[in-house]
């Protein structure tokens, strides 16, 4: 996609509004300097779990070493999440399934469709609710003009139901701290949607919560990717630009529950598609992408101070 910033003045305005002190050397660590499209991280029992899409693996970082926890050729994972029963799920983007992994890393039979037979086209990201269930997004055939992304809900009894359709490249997803709201990213529309959560994981009241292009004063297309929430209800929004030199490349946006920009986190890599918070929320683990447009999508895993 070809585009250009609308105005330098607008960019300057954004940079001033988002200004933070540069990260010091002791505030930025590289935990893994050789990843192949690291994505969808989660912190669980003292370890950081994350995926490498181009290696079709789920990896762990235990504070000192990175190890491959699970791999499955053809999966193309984009996120990983622990379950209430001590297993793990991963969104297998390439194979159109939800991979299941035992606590010891052994492969289990995957989920391939919902209770009504709907397939999972482009599984992307996960979010647990407060009732033992897990939401997950499917981007559909995007990127492109077709609007066929979906949001599914995996209930505690293993029933999978489609909860929302016609999402334009459904991507990152998160549940509010009170369990009442679901936020979902529409990457191709450059925005976040917000839904009300009802009984059985049902979704209603769909509306636009935040337009990232409006937030950044239209300096250029912002392609939001992953989203996480902290204990104060602040949303951390990662992005994956189409060009390495795109305005605000490498920037994570932090907004409050009203969509007001609070601060930004700036990383050395142009792509910062997803992230996870440490249990004390003093550290943000960021999946960085340096090679945006071709395999093996080289990048890094960062740990940065959250201030």
């Amino acid at each position: 996609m070809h585009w250009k910033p609308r105005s330098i003045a607008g960019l300057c305005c954004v940079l001033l509004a988002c200004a933070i002190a540069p990260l010091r050397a002791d505030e930025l660590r590289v935990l893994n300097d050789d990843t192949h499209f690291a994505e969808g991280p989660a912190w669980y029992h003292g370890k950081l779990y994350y995926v490498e899409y181009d290696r079709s693996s789920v990896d762990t970082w235990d504070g000192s070493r990175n190890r491959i926890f699970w791999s499955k050729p053809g999966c193309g994972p984009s996120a990983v999440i622990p379950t209430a029963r001590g297993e793990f799920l991963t969104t297998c983007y390439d194979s159109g399934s939800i991979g299941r992994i035992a606590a010891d890393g052994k492969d289990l039979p995957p989920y391939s469709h919902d209770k009504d037979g709907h397939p999972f086209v482009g599984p992307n990201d996960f979010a647990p609710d407060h009732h033992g269930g897990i939401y997950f997004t499917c981007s559909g055939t995007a990127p492109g003009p077709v609007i066929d992304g979906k949001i599914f809900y995996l209930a505690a009894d293993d029933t999978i139901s489609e909860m929302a359709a016609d999402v334009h490249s459904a991507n990152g997803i998160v549940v509010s701290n009170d369990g009442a709201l679901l936020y979902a990213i529409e990457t191709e529309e450059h925005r976040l949607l917000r839904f009300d959560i009802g009984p059985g994981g049902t979704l209603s009241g769909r509306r636009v919560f935040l337009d990232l292009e409006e937030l950044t004063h239209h300096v250029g297309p912002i392609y939001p990717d992953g989203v996480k929430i902290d204990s104060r209800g602040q949303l951390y929004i990662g992005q994956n630009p189409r060009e390495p030199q795109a305005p605000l490349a490498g920037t994570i946006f932090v907004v409050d529950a009203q969509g007001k920009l609070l601060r930004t986190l700036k990383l050395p890599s142009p792509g910062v598609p997803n992230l996870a918070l440490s249990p004390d929320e003093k550290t943000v683990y960021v999946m960085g992408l340096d090679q945006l447009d071709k395999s093996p999508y080289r990048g890094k895993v960062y740990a940065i101070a959250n201030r």
Side-chain angles (χ1 to χ4, degrees):
M1 180 179 295
H2 299 285
W3 55 271
K4 59 182 179 180
R6 296 195 180 184
S7 72
I8 298 298
L11 175 58
C12 292
C13 179
V14 174
L15 293 177
L16 288 172
C18 302
I20 59 171
L23 289 170
R24 302 190 307 264
D26 62 346
E27 294 181 312
L28 173 67
R29 289 184 293 153
V30 177
L31 306 183
N32 189 340
D33 64 0
D34 181 30
T35 61
H36 291 185
F37 210 144
E39 259 271 49
W43 185 270
Y44 182 67
H45 286 185
K47 293 181 181 179
L48 180 69
Y49 288 78
Y50 61 96
V51 307
E52 289 191 73
Y53 166 80
D54 209 56
R55 285 190 168 119
S56 273
S57 65
V58 174
D59 304 347
T60 62
W61 179 76
D62 62 7
S64 60
R65 290 186 57 188
N66 292 279
R67 295 181 174 88
I68 292 179
F69 172 66
W70 172 91
S71 65
K72 188 173 186 177
C75 167
S78 59
V80 62
I81 191 173
T83 70
R85 66 183 67 169
E87 299 174 353
F88 295 85
L89 301 178
T90 185
T91 44
C92 288
Y93 187 92
D94 286 352
S95 63
S97 63
I98 302 299
R100 294 175 55 229
I101 309 167
D104 61 1
K106 292 182 179 179
D107 192 43
L108 299 173
Y111 300 108
S112 59
H113 53 81
D114 74 356
K115 64 181 179 64
D116 296 316
H118 298 134
F120 307 139
V121 181
N124 250 329
D125 207 358
F126 295 113
D129 73 353
H130 293 189
H131 306 286
I134 295 174
Y135 291 96
F136 63 92
T137 55
C138 288
S139 65
T141 54
V146 178
I147 303 175
D148 59 354
K150 296 180 178 181
I151 301 173
F152 292 91
Y153 181 68
L154 171 61
D157 65 359
D158 275 358
T159 301
I160 300 178
S161 304
E162 180 184 312
M163 294 301 182
D166 299 326
V167 183
H168 202 176
S169 189
N171 210 330
I173 192 168
V174 74
V175 172
S176 63
N177 293 330
D178 61 5
L181 300 170
L182 180 95
Y183 299 89
I185 284 177
E186 280 190 307
T187 295
E188 294 297 315
E189 293 288 352
H190 321 286
R191 66 191 186 187
L192 276 76
L193 301 177
R194 185 163 65 185
F195 298 83
D196 298 316
I197 297 177
T202 55
L203 300 178
S204 63
R206 173 176 175 164
R207 64 270 197 197
V208 175
F209 166 68
L210 179 66
D211 186 311
L212 270 293
E213 296 199 351
E214 291 182 2
L215 183 76
T216 56
H217 300 268
H218 299 280
V219 300
I222 304 292
Y223 293 94
D225 196 309
V227 59
K228 295 294 190 294
I229 192 168
D230 68 13
S231 59
R232 294 177 290 180
Q234 297 177 358
L235 297 168
Y236 295 64
I237 305 164
Q239 57 157 325
N240 195 8
R242 301 295 190 259
E243 301 285 345
Q245 302 303 320
L248 303 181
T251 303
I252 292 170
F253 306 97
V254 184
V255 304
D256 65 15
Q258 287 71 49
K260 178 184 176 181
L261 182 63
L262 301 175
R263 63 189 186 280
T264 62
L265 306 175
K266 175 66 176 173
L267 279 296
S269 297
V272 285
N274 217 323
L275 60 115
L277 295 164
S278 62
D280 63 7
E281 300 184 351
K282 293 181 179 179
T283 303
V284 184
Y285 299 100
V286 179
M287 308 295 106
L289 189 59
D290 298 317
Q291 188 179 21
L292 301 178
D293 59 349
K294 61 182 179 180
S295 179
Y297 306 101
R298 295 189 182 278
K300 302 175 181 69
V301 174
Y302 297 98
I304 66 172
N306 190 22
R307 54 180 184 169

